[in-house]
Amino acid sequence: MSDLLARLKAGQSAIGCVHLGELEFGLRLLTEQDYMDASFAVDAAMKAANIELSMATSELFESEKSSQLLLRALVDVDANKPVASNAKQLREAISRDQKNLLIEAYLSHEKAYSPSERNMSDEDFAELIEEVKKNPTTPLLNDSSTVTLKRLITTLALPPTC
């Protein structure tokens, strides 16, 4: 099995590690449902605070969005359970610098374990195409992004001429 497909297979179960001082935390890959739940939570938080989204409040929106996403990604390494029960609890426990470090760690982890169109090099994509040609029914594509799957279908149906 190719390295790329091994990473696809490990995708959803891969837990990255990040250290904040002496503490070690896990970072799990977020699913599409996690992103949707986070979006709903951001909307609810903004409504609860009577804040309408505008240019003036966009920074608050983005800050809450990143807190909601981190809430879902940050886990206890040993128990694989969330470290906080809500975004406020998480915000009260970390500084802005720590939050930025966690975000960067998550993005690096996602890039390594969740190959997608935005992360995949041309060489990796070519390797994926060859693997799919060898085993078209591979279940390893289940965690691929829609964009990657569309690119695969297009490339396989209309191969490049050069």
Side-chain angles (χ1 to χ4, degrees):
M1 179 184 325
S2 71
D3 178 54
L4 180 62
L5 288 177
R7 290 187 309 183
L8 281 170
K9 184 177 181 179
Q12 295 299 338
S13 60
I15 301 292
C17 290
V18 62
H19 290 86
L20 289 180
E22 298 291 319
L23 301 174
E24 181 180 53
F25 295 95
L27 292 168
R28 72 174 190 83
L29 292 176
L30 297 174
T31 65
E32 186 65 24
Q33 186 63 48
D34 292 322
Y35 279 94
M36 183 159 301
D37 291 344
S39 293
F40 292 152
V42 171
D43 188 49
M46 297 288 280
K47 285 179 182 174
N50 291 320
I51 299 173
E52 287 190 36
L53 185 58
S54 68
M55 290 299 289
T57 62
S58 63
E59 189 174 325
L60 288 172
F61 176 86
E62 289 300 323
S63 179
E64 180 64 15
K65 182 177 175 183
S66 62
S67 293
Q68 290 291 339
L69 291 170
L70 276 178
L71 170 69
R72 288 156 175 78
L74 201 60
V75 295
D76 179 316
V77 174
D78 298 322
N80 197 17
K81 300 284 184 198
V83 298
S85 58
N86 58 58
K88 181 179 180 186
Q89 193 179 57
L90 179 62
R91 283 191 305 272
E92 290 174 341
I94 61 174
S95 69
R96 186 174 285 207
D97 287 341
Q98 290 170 324
K99 181 179 177 182
N100 289 336
L101 183 130
L102 290 170
I103 291 167
E104 289 301 317
Y106 177 80
L107 293 173
S108 293
H109 176 60
E110 181 184 52
K111 185 174 183 178
Y113 284 94
S114 185
S116 69
E117 183 67 24
R118 68 174 185 256
N119 298 331
M120 196 178 295
S121 69
D122 289 340
E123 294 81 21
D124 286 343
F125 186 74
E127 187 179 336
L128 179 61
I129 288 174
E130 290 307 311
E131 190 65 31
V132 170
K133 285 179 181 178
K134 291 176 191 172
N135 184 12
T137 61
T138 180
L140 300 177
L141 294 174
N142 292 343
D143 293 330
S144 293
S145 71
T146 304
V147 173
T148 300
L149 294 174
K150 284 180 182 177
R151 183 176 175 198
L152 269 172
I153 291 167
T154 302
T155 301
L156 292 169
L158 298 168
T161 56
C162 38

